[in-house]
Amino acid sequence: SRILHLDKDGNFKNQYFGNNNGPGKFYSAHGFAIDPKTGDLWIGDREDYRIVVLTADGNFVKTIQTTGLVCAIQFDAQGEPWYASGQDGQYLKINRDGKVLGAVGKGMGIEPGEFIEASYWVFDRQNSLYAGDTSVSRITKMVAPRR
């Protein structure tokens, strides 16, 4: 398990290796995102139920233990972290210490607002969430509430 760091032109800069347990290591990189507030790299370690945080230079910052499979990580329009909780069918908003602050998704299923495999997703500038569910071949748009 490794992540390649490329520059904007696609040239190799660095690589981060997992293949192990312990500080800064990851077993099954399944999604990552750059923290827009710090520049840190957040790596979803799916099979070990955790998020590994590294600096842009690859130095270990911390490990955040989760209760669900971390299948993808995104930061919303305000720069706050979320992760897709795999087959739990939810997208969880967390703080930078891993505390769950809220969730979107009704759980596992095929009805509106349910997901079989919550994995692929993105926020737009209005904070609407577009969720791809590979198990049922659909994309769901969830509109953020107006403030």
Side-chain angles (χ1 to χ4, degrees):
S1 191
R2 71 180 169 155
I3 295 174
L4 298 177
H5 180 185
L6 309 175
D7 69 15
K8 64 180 176 138
D9 298 317
N11 298 310
F12 177 82
K13 287 185 74 172
N14 197 357
Q15 57 190 333
Y16 311 112
F17 287 97
N19 296 335
N20 211 336
N21 281 324
K25 299 296 183 182
F26 46 92
Y27 173 72
S28 180
H30 206 276
F32 68 92
I34 306 296
D35 185 332
K37 293 184 178 181
T38 65
D40 290 343
L41 175 64
W42 286 45
I43 302 166
D45 190 357
R46 180 177 142 142
E47 303 305 319
D48 284 340
Y49 293 79
R50 63 187 180 165
I51 297 168
V52 176
V53 182
L54 306 175
T55 65
D57 297 329
N59 295 314
F60 175 70
V61 175
K62 64 183 167 184
T63 298
I64 299 170
Q65 202 64 48
T66 65
T67 57
L69 294 170
V70 182
C71 289
I73 300 172
Q74 294 287 339
F75 286 84
D76 65 21
Q78 286 72 44
E80 299 305 320
W82 290 67
Y83 78 90
S85 185
Q87 294 178 337
D88 293 333
Q90 290 191 310
Y91 297 88
L92 303 170
K93 181 177 184 177
I94 60 174
N95 67 16
R96 283 177 168 67
D97 293 321
K99 179 182 178 189
V100 176
L101 303 175
V104 174
K106 298 178 187 175
M108 192 171 192
I110 61 171
E111 298 300 319
E114 297 177 339
F115 304 94
I116 298 293
E117 189 169 356
S119 288
Y120 307 101
W121 57 298
V122 67
F123 287 102
D124 66 16
R125 290 186 178 144
Q126 290 74 42
N127 244 6
S128 294
L129 188 151
Y130 295 82
D133 189 330
T134 56
S135 295
V136 292
S137 302
R138 72 175 179 201
I139 296 173
T140 301
K141 178 181 178 181
M142 291 175 270
V143 179
R146 298 207 186 265
R147 295 179 179 210

